[in-house]
Amino acid sequence: MDAILTFHSIDDSGSVLSYRPDDFVALVESLLEAAVRVVPLTTLLSDAPSTDDRVAITFDDGIRSVRTAALPVLARHRLPATVYVVSQWTGRTNRWPSQPASAQTFDLMDWAELAELRDAGIDIASHGVTHAPLDKLGVKELQAELVDSKRVIEDALQVEARHFAYPYGASNPVVAEAARGVYASAVTTHLAFHHAADVPHLLPRLDAYYLQGAWARRRLFGLVSRARLRARGWMRTVRAGYSA
């Protein structure tokens, strides 16, 4: 079974976008102890279906604590990850225009810090130019968010930006088709395990918000964790709907 895990910030602030550093260590160690393979997102998506349990680790927004708190853990175990960055907001904060006023403010990595992650084997991907919800944009603005962010990342870091994360998980058939023309994959906020039959530009992920505390030490692919996460995914779909 496969899963794509979503993190934002690795810190002790307690915000809805935060995951405690101790929990991150515990989660990584629990995966390794359970012989779960941590693989690059590209590998998870391109390989033939595997009998092994596998995860791809992803971080949204490019928050600075990924470098200070997560990178040392990943580097210690030589584990890959993908970081989705907002190209126009690197080196600033996450106070982009669409950000709710109540959201926690975080510092974002600059290009030098992102280059450090790149050199450590972390894949740098796109989260748009301005983190705008793409389903609210016209065709021209949508293309700019997809194409310009890719170009800026590739020019700044001299790497191919192959993957995309929809800001706020906002997508629809027009947005997904546009993303398909630019990126190899695009991830959503739909809470579910990954399956080989998933549409490459509407990929589900498991939000680490539901893997905190004692759950960080549970077997991710165990029956209890799988049942709990599936129930959470169903409740999220019922409450908010899922834009496919």
Side-chain angles (χ1 to χ4, degrees):
M1 179 171 277
D2 294 340
I4 305 171
L5 306 185
T6 309
F7 299 88
H8 288 79
S9 180
I10 306 298
D11 69 76
D12 287 309
S13 71
S15 87
V16 295
L17 296 181
S18 299
Y19 197 81
R20 294 179 63 249
D22 288 349
D23 281 347
F24 187 73
V25 172
L27 179 59
V28 167
E29 291 179 348
S30 73
L31 293 172
L32 299 178
E33 289 168 3
V36 174
R37 291 174 55 204
V38 180
V39 299
L41 181 61
T42 298
T43 299
L44 191 75
L45 301 178
S46 62
D47 277 5
S50 173
T51 57
D52 296 333
D53 290 333
R54 305 181 303 175
V55 302
I57 296 174
T58 68
F59 299 88
D60 286 7
D61 299 343
I63 295 171
R64 181 161 286 144
S65 62
V66 173
R67 182 181 67 84
T68 58
L71 182 59
V73 180
L74 298 172
R76 185 183 316 135
H77 297 288
R78 298 183 179 180
L79 299 179
T82 298
V83 176
Y84 297 101
V85 302
V86 184
S87 63
Q88 196 176 87
W89 288 76
T90 56
R92 300 166 69 181
T93 72
N94 62 333
R95 301 314 308 181
W96 33 73
S98 59
Q99 188 73 284
S102 60
Q104 177 86 7
T105 298
F106 293 106
D107 291 330
L108 305 180
M109 289 179 280
D110 58 27
W111 292 114
E113 292 169 307
L114 290 169
E116 182 181 340
L117 266 66
R118 175 206 61 196
D119 293 344
I122 305 301
D123 193 15
I124 309 301
S126 173
H127 205 21
V129 176
T130 65
H131 204 282
L134 303 187
D135 60 342
K136 308 297 184 185
L137 302 181
V139 174
K140 184 178 180 179
E141 292 80 9
L142 169 60
Q143 282 297 317
E145 287 285 337
L146 295 170
V147 175
D148 290 356
S149 58
K150 177 179 173 69
R151 175 184 53 77
V152 169
I153 292 167
E154 292 179 344
D155 287 349
L157 298 177
Q158 298 300 298
V159 293
E160 183 182 5
R162 295 166 288 183
H163 306 290
F164 188 79
Y166 298 112
Y168 308 107
S171 181
N172 58 34
V174 171
V175 171
E177 181 63 20
R180 188 175 71 86
V182 182
Y183 296 96
S185 79
V187 293
T188 70
T189 56
H190 179 47
L191 183 68
F193 287 88
H194 171 257
H195 299 90
D198 288 334
V199 176
H201 294 85
L202 289 171
L203 295 173
R205 293 189 286 176
L206 299 181
D207 195 324
Y209 177 83
Y210 300 105
L211 300 172
Q212 300 186 74
W215 286 97
R217 294 166 178 82
R218 282 189 176 273
R219 291 189 61 182
L220 177 64
F221 296 101
L223 291 176
V224 174
S225 293
R226 285 160 55 188
R228 178 176 181 265
L229 288 166
R230 283 171 177 154
R232 289 285 187 178
W234 178 82
M235 287 189 290
R236 278 175 48 152
T237 300
V238 170
R239 289 174 181 171
Y242 171 55
S243 177

